[in-house]
Amino acid sequence: MARKAAKPKRQDDGEAAANRPSARPVWTGNMRLALVSVPVKLYAAVKSGARIQFHQVHEPSRRRIRYQKIVPGVGPVDTDEIVKGFELGQGRWVLIDQDEIDALKVETRHTLDLVQFVGPDEIAPIWFERPYYVVPDGELAIEAYAVLRDALKRAGRIGLGQFVMRGREYVAALKPCGQGLMLETLRFADEVQRAAPFFTSIDEEASDPELLDLAAELIERKTSAFEPARFKDNYTQALRQLIDAKAAEKSVEVGEEAAEETGGGGKVVDLVEALRRSVQDNGKDSGKDSGKTRPARSGRRKAG
């Protein structure tokens, strides 16, 4: 039997390798849909370093201002003497040691199980919290990754599940993003306030038809494709210009006082066989309560 010719290397492989993210992933694990497991890495999709941050400096001494932990009537205290406190009200508190909090952390399972699928318009923007790019972890994961991406595109659905990252539990929404996938963490139900109470004073009477037509015409005239680069952070730019101007004029010397990546991996099982078995198993369980597959909400995020 003649050997199959080697697959020719694409001309853009070198360019793709050069453009791969250099940052460390914030999470490494497996996305799982029934019996199909896809090793992936998550990378932060947004960055916060673009904004200018200042430090406080004591101008007369030209030294940075530091903060001490001080108890009124006692003075500075050591870090190992500090515990967490939760105020119950009326001067009553509950004191909790850090070891007790650590014991409650959700077990770190590096798996995101997709347990439900919804339409893209079923989740209001207020529920979305932070976006991450989902990248296949290794060449063996690419085929299963692409099948999941294309299946979501064809179905026009968003996958939902829960996973643990850095000791905290998150609800995740998985959706196609260009050639890849994007994961967005969602807020829990008790983190979102109902809108109705804030709008009770607004008149429900219909708007004046003439004014409505004028507003609609103005909106239509200003409708165009979204261009993010069109919107500039004018304040930050002006602040940077001020810093550069002052640095060119005069600078001073200020005295100084003296993301988890875990072994992810996971083996990709035969994709076709896993999908077939998943569909068969789903057919057998179709009469059962689908809610049993949804993970119980535990390890609720608390301010540590």
Side-chain angles (χ1 to χ4, degrees):
M1 181 181 293
R3 293 182 61 185
K4 185 182 293 186
K7 185 178 180 180
K9 187 175 182 180
R10 297 190 310 171
Q11 294 182 354
D12 59 347
D13 279 354
E15 181 181 353
N19 292 331
R20 285 180 188 139
S22 58
R24 292 184 60 187
V26 297
W27 185 84
T28 301
N30 294 278
M31 289 189 308
R32 190 163 60 194
L33 175 58
L35 298 177
V36 180
S37 183
V38 187
V40 295
K41 295 182 179 182
L42 296 190
Y43 293 88
V46 296
K47 55 183 179 180
S48 57
R51 305 226 170 187
I52 294 175
Q53 296 181 342
F54 289 102
H55 299 286
Q56 291 186 324
V57 177
H58 182 234
E59 188 174 14
S61 65
R62 300 287 171 83
R63 300 182 72 87
R64 279 192 58 180
I65 293 176
R66 302 294 184 179
Y67 293 92
Q68 287 183 307
K69 294 179 168 126
I70 297 176
V71 176
V74 176
V77 297
D78 294 332
T79 303
D80 57 6
E81 297 177 335
I82 301 174
V83 297
K84 307 287 185 182
F86 183 84
E87 186 175 9
L88 301 175
Q90 299 180 347
R92 298 179 63 248
W93 291 66
V94 170
L95 301 183
I96 302 176
D97 190 79
Q98 184 62 45
D99 291 339
E100 296 177 290
I101 295 176
D102 293 339
L104 295 177
K105 284 186 177 179
V106 182
E107 180 186 358
T108 304
R109 291 188 309 114
H110 297 279
T111 302
L112 166 60
D113 286 306
L114 298 174
V115 297
Q116 182 184 1
F117 295 88
V118 299
D121 298 328
E122 292 186 44
I123 306 176
I126 193 173
W127 293 98
F128 292 100
E129 189 172 34
R130 189 173 181 87
Y132 297 90
Y133 293 130
V134 183
V135 179
D137 187 4
E139 294 184 2
L140 293 177
I142 293 178
E143 182 182 13
Y145 177 95
V147 170
L148 180 57
R149 175 202 62 199
D150 294 342
L152 288 173
K153 284 183 179 181
R154 179 188 293 184
R157 295 287 187 270
I158 294 176
L160 298 179
Q162 289 184 235
F163 74 111
V164 178
M165 179 169 60
R166 294 171 179 168
R168 297 169 61 182
E169 191 166 20
Y170 294 89
V171 180
L174 185 71
K175 62 181 71 173
C177 177
Q179 293 179 261
L181 291 166
M182 174 180 286
L183 179 148
E184 291 190 77
T185 56
L186 302 179
R187 295 178 173 90
F188 285 98
D190 56 0
E191 294 179 301
V192 176
Q193 298 192 73
R194 292 178 57 250
F198 294 93
F199 305 137
T200 53
S201 62
I202 300 176
D203 194 352
E204 295 183 5
E205 189 174 322
S207 302
D208 181 275
E210 183 177 357
L211 294 177
L212 186 58
D213 289 341
L214 290 173
E217 182 180 351
L218 182 60
I219 291 173
E220 183 62 30
R221 289 182 181 180
K222 291 182 174 291
T223 298
S224 60
F226 174 53
E227 300 177 12
R230 179 180 177 182
F231 300 91
K232 307 292 184 181
D233 187 350
N234 298 307
Y235 175 76
T236 299
Q237 288 182 352
L239 205 53
R240 171 56 65 184
Q241 291 173 359
L242 173 63
I243 292 172
D244 292 342
K246 291 184 72 69
E249 178 184 345
K250 181 182 179 182
S251 62
V252 299
E253 291 187 4
V254 175
E256 291 281 353
E257 296 287 342
E260 109 198 73
E261 179 183 3
T262 60
K267 187 177 180 180
V268 181
V269 299
D270 181 79
L271 183 57
V272 175
E273 179 62 23
L275 287 172
R276 285 175 178 166
R277 289 170 56 192
S278 297
V279 172
Q280 291 172 356
D281 290 346
N282 186 63
K284 295 177 182 178
D285 298 338
S286 60
K288 299 181 181 179
D289 183 8
S290 59
K292 292 182 181 178
T293 63
R294 302 187 63 180
R297 179 181 166 190
S298 60
R300 178 66 188 87
R301 292 186 287 173
K302 293 289 185 182

